[in-house]
C-alpha cells in the first residue's frame, strides 16, 4: 500500500510529461487508500494555485489502482491464468 500512496503525488506531478497538457504547480497532494470488503477505495486530494487539478487527480488514482493491482494480481489468477474477478471502477 505504501507504493500506491507514493504514486499519487508523483504521477500527478509528472502527467504533463506523458500528455500534452500544461504542467500545474501542485501546492498539495495527498491520498487516502482504504481496503474494503470487495475492493480498494482510493481518494486523491490535489490543490493547485491557478487551476483545478482534476485531470491530475484522475490520472494519479488510476496509477495507484494499477500499482495495487500489479502487487496483488498473482493472488487473483485462476487455473487458466486469467483474472475473472478483477476490474477497475471509477466513480466521481
Amino acid at each position: 500500500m505504501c507504493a500506491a500512496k507514493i504514486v499519487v503525488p508523483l504521477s500527478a506531478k509528472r502527467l504533463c510529461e506523458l500528455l500534452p497538457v500544461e504542467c500545474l504547480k501542485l501546492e498539495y497532494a495527498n491520498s487516502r487508500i482504504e481496503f474494503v470488503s470487495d475492493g480498494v477505495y482510493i481518494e486523491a486530494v490535489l490543490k493547485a494555485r491557478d487551476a483545478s487539478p482534476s485531470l491530475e487527480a484522475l490520472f494519479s488514482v488510476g496509477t495507484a489502482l494499477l500499482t495495487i493491482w500489479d502487487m496483488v494480481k498473482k493472488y487473483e489468477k485462476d487455473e487458466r491464468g486469467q483474472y475473472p474477478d478483477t476490474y477497475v471502477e471509477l466513480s466521481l
Side-chain angles (χ1 to χ4, degrees):
M1 184 168 84
C2 182
K5 280 191 75 71
I6 293 169
V7 157
V8 170
L10 290 178
S11 60
K13 291 176 184 178
R14 300 187 73 173
L15 174 66
C16 62
E17 296 175 18
L18 300 171
L19 297 177
V21 296
E22 182 181 336
C23 287
L24 296 181
K25 294 193 184 259
L26 293 176
E27 296 178 343
Y28 179 80
N30 197 7
S31 64
R32 183 169 66 94
I33 300 173
E34 182 179 332
F35 292 93
V36 293
S37 62
D38 60 345
V40 179
Y41 175 82
I42 300 177
E43 177 183 67
V45 178
L46 306 174
K47 293 182 184 176
R49 180 170 294 174
D50 297 329
S52 173
S54 55
L55 187 60
E56 287 80 357
L58 287 170
F59 182 72
S60 63
V61 167
T63 307
L65 284 170
L66 289 171
T67 301
I68 292 171
W69 181 74
D70 187 56
M71 291 188 294
V72 301
K73 68 182 178 185
K74 65 182 177 183
Y75 303 111
E76 301 243 348
K77 275 188 183 180
D78 64 9
E79 61 277 352
R80 296 177 304 169
Q82 300 299 311
Y83 305 98
D85 298 321
T86 303
Y87 63 93
V88 174
E89 181 178 79
L90 178 67
S91 63
L92 302 172

